[in-house]
Amino acid sequence: MIPYVPPPEEQIGLTEYLYARMKNPIRVEILHDDDGNYRVLDDKGNLIQAGWIAKGGTADQRNRRVMVNLREGSQIAFSERAAIQRFADLLTFDSTKPQVTLSGVIIPEKKVYEGVLITSVSFVWVEIVEMLKGDWSKAYEMSPQVWEEVVAGAYKRAGYDEVTLTPRSGDHGRDLIAVKKGIGAIKILGSVKAYNPGLLVSKEQVHALVGVVSLDPAATKGILTTTSDFAPQMLRDKNLAQVIPDKIELMNGERLRLWLIELLAKK
């Protein structure tokens, strides 16, 4: 059987690493624990993805749920079977609980009330940033979820003690929470907008983050990060001018690119 390779417009989370996977389908091993956490390992034992799914069902059903959550948009063979399954043909999975599904960019530590606490970045994060360092146009081919993981990993790489990735739904306007402990503790509420160059973040979206930060008495500031840029003359809004940059910080695509390159060089 000739493996199906989806066209680029169907692919999610494009990176050079994932492109290689799509051209050469591999077998994976899916490991589950009693709390609903799972890990997907390739045939060499490398971590491809980790996340959490609701418990219940047979082993085959749970594996299918994991496969639906894989971000590669390609074919992967179950380790228990010889058949290669097309991503688009897999069963869909609905859950009443908010889910955080990781694509392997970051490595989870444990599930917490607000989402998933991450322990470090993976080699995929390094591969992505290396790719972006050479060609920023690839930034516009990556999915919003992958970008949230890349930015969350950047905070962890920058030395924050706790970084939590929130669920895609029910995130209360925050995509991530980054905390530095100790004297002068800092709590950042992060929002990530994965936009193409022609789409700018509006002042209304910045106002929304102001509201989120104001509702959290422990929050030090909010940082809105975008792959694109912000609407011009943003600070003509007097209300925003009062909170930028002390309570709200804006990071556009150019600042994000330089920050990631700086963190890539960090040992």
Side-chain angles (χ1 to χ4, degrees), residues 114-128:
E114 293 175 308
V116 169
L117 190 68
I118 68 175
T119 185
S120 64
V121 301
S122 75
F123 70 96
V124 179
W125 187 94
V126 175
E127 291 283 341
I128 289 174

Side-chain angles (χ1 to χ4, degrees), residues 188-199:
I188 302 295
L189 304 184
S191 177
V192 182
K193 305 294 184 186
Y195 287 171
N196 289 332
L199 182 59

Side-chain angles (χ1 to χ4, degrees), residues 71-96:
R71 306 293 299 174
E72 298 178 2
S74 61
Q75 299 167 40
I76 296 180
F78 286 127
S79 58
E80 300 86 357
R81 300 178 176 183
I84 294 178
Q85 303 200 26
R86 180 181 169 184
F87 177 86
D89 293 336
L90 296 172
L91 297 178
T92 57
F93 173 53
D94 294 322
S95 172
T96 57

Side-chain angles (χ1 to χ4, degrees), residues 236-251:
R236 284 194 173 184
D237 185 312
K238 294 181 180 179
N239 293 325
L240 291 183
Q242 293 176 357
V243 296
I244 297 174
D246 296 333
K247 202 67 177 178
I248 298 293
E249 188 173 336
L250 306 179
M251 182 182 297

Side-chain angles (χ1 to χ4, degrees), residues 140 193 195-201 226-230 252-254:
Y140 311 120
K193 305 294 184 186
Y195 287 171
N196 289 332
L199 182 59
L200 303 180
V201 178
T226 180
T227 53
S228 178
D229 213 332
F230 297 89
N252 66 9
E254 178 60 16

Side-chain angles (χ1 to χ4, degrees), residues 24-251:
N24 299 289
I26 60 170
R27 294 184 183 280
V28 298
E29 181 180 12
I30 304 174
L31 305 177
H32 301 272
D33 68 19
D34 294 336
D35 295 323
N37 300 304
Y38 71 83
R39 292 183 300 144
V40 183
L41 307 179
D42 67 13
D43 50 1
K44 296 181 180 179
N46 296 317
L47 179 68
I48 296 175
Q49 186 188 79
W52 176 85
I53 58 173
K55 294 182 287 185
T58 65
D60 184 64
Q61 289 170 332
R62 290 174 61 78
N63 284 345
R64 283 177 175 268
R65 295 170 189 172
V66 171
M67 295 295 288
V68 169
N69 286 340
L70 279 172
R71 306 293 299 174
E72 298 178 2
S74 61
Q75 299 167 40
I76 296 180
F78 286 127
S79 58
E80 300 86 357
R81 300 178 176 183
I84 294 178
Q85 303 200 26
R86 180 181 169 184
F87 177 86
D89 293 336
L90 296 172
L91 297 178
T92 57
F93 173 53
D94 294 322
S95 172
T96 57
K97 297 181 180 179
Q99 295 185 64
V100 176
T101 302
L102 308 182
S103 63
V105 177
I106 51 183
I107 298 174
E109 180 177 339
K110 60 181 178 180
K111 184 159 58 72
V112 294
Y113 174 75
E114 293 175 308
V116 169
L117 190 68
I118 68 175
T119 185
S120 64
V121 301
S122 75
F123 70 96
V124 179
W125 187 94
V126 175
E127 291 283 341
I128 289 174
V129 178
E130 284 280 8
M131 178 186 68
L132 294 173
K133 180 180 176 181
D135 183 4
W136 183 253
S137 68
K138 293 289 186 181
Y140 311 120
E141 298 177 350
M142 291 163 49
S143 71
Q145 180 170 348
V146 169
W147 261 117
E148 289 172 13
E149 295 181 31
V150 169
V151 175
Y155 280 99
K156 190 66 180 179
R157 187 104 166 177
Y160 282 80
D161 298 299
E162 292 183 354
V163 179
T164 304
L165 190 66
T166 63
R168 299 278 303 161
S169 60
D171 61 8
H172 305 291
R174 313 157 302 174
D175 295 316
L176 62 93
I177 304 166
V179 175
K180 278 188 179 179
K181 298 179 178 180
I183 299 174
I186 298 172
K187 181 179 182 181
I188 302 295
L189 304 184
S191 177
V192 182
K193 305 294 184 186
Y195 287 171
N196 289 332
L199 182 59
L200 303 180
V201 178
S202 68
K203 67 178 182 179
E204 288 76 18
Q205 290 171 309
V206 180
H207 272 295
L209 183 58
V210 173
V212 170
V213 173
S214 66
L215 291 174
D216 187 339
T220 307
K221 68 162 50 178
I223 300 181
L224 201 161
T225 303
T226 180
T227 53
S228 178
D229 213 332
F230 297 89
Q233 302 176 339
M234 181 83 69
L235 294 184
R236 284 194 173 184
D237 185 312
K238 294 181 180 179
N239 293 325
L240 291 183
Q242 293 176 357
V243 296
I244 297 174
D246 296 333
K247 202 67 177 178
I248 298 293
E249 188 173 336
L250 306 179
M251 182 182 297

